[in-house]
Amino acid sequence: MNTELKVLVVDDEELARLRLRGLVQDCPSPKAQVVGEAANASQALVWLADRPCDLVLLDIHMPGLDGTQLAARIKQLPHPPAIVFVTAHAEHALQAFDLDAVDYLTKPVRRERLHAALQRVAQRLGQPHGAARAPAEAADEPVIVVNELGRKVRVPVSEVLYLKAELKYVTLRTATHTHVLDDALTDLEQRLGDRFLRIHRNALVARKALRALERRVLPAEGEDEAAEGWVVRVAPVDEWLVVSRRQVAAVKEAIAEGGL
């Protein structure tokens, strides 16, 4: 896609709209321009009735219709723009992806995260019509989009067993595949919500995949001597991941709630 992205910013806070305008204009690639602003859902719907745009940067908590309700209305338009939610609240992440949002950013928005979201929008708009969602994918199934060998792979969140930060990347593991993401683990944790549990500073695990918790001798780090620590088994791949001491109680509780 060679043309400039046309962006509508919807947020009830003027300073938030001003900051987003500046971040959008600073994006080196893809080029993007804020072509309109709205302080609430009613203003946004009036604006969209007369003018097209490629993307709506959408706050969630607003007077009147909230952002998720507005997103549902936008999806009914003849040519709906892409949606990226921008909010101070992380608890709506799964609902946002149910609405086929391209991304979910939490305030204060980091420049690199917004630019990554704009790149995802450009990639989606550059695909043939209908390629953004696989035909067999359930309409209400949230996904994680993986860029792999020049193509986009949409991994259903229900298939994700764990996400583990390693060096500059995050490994996403399903029962059959391993994918590599360049998203930050903290951002993924905010987007995925309560389905996943942070077991260590470098790992998120799907609650349903947690199995046995054991105490074992762990490999030494650096010059430290090997010491005992906690590990949890992730099913069905039968892999063991290290659990930090502060998260042991939470992992025990999650396993107990799973009836295991």
Side-chain angles (χ1 to χ4, degrees), residues 199 210-213 231-234 239-241 243 251 255:
I199 66 164
L210 293 168
R211 293 297 187 268
L213 181 69
V231 292
V232 67
R233 182 167 65 88
V234 179
E239 295 182 16
W240 294 82
L241 299 180
V243 179
V251 172
I255 292 175

Side-chain angles (χ1 to χ4, degrees), residues 20 25 36 50 53 60 64 83 107 117 120 122 126-127 130 160 168 173 179 200 208 225 227 234 248 252:
L20 285 174
Q25 291 174 344
D50 295 329
C53 69
I60 288 183
I83 293 173
K107 298 177 180 177
R120 291 190 178 97
Q127 290 183 328
V160 178
K168 297 182 179 180
R173 186 75 163 93
H179 303 280
H200 193 275
K208 67 178 184 181
E225 293 184 1
V234 179
V248 168
K252 286 182 178 178

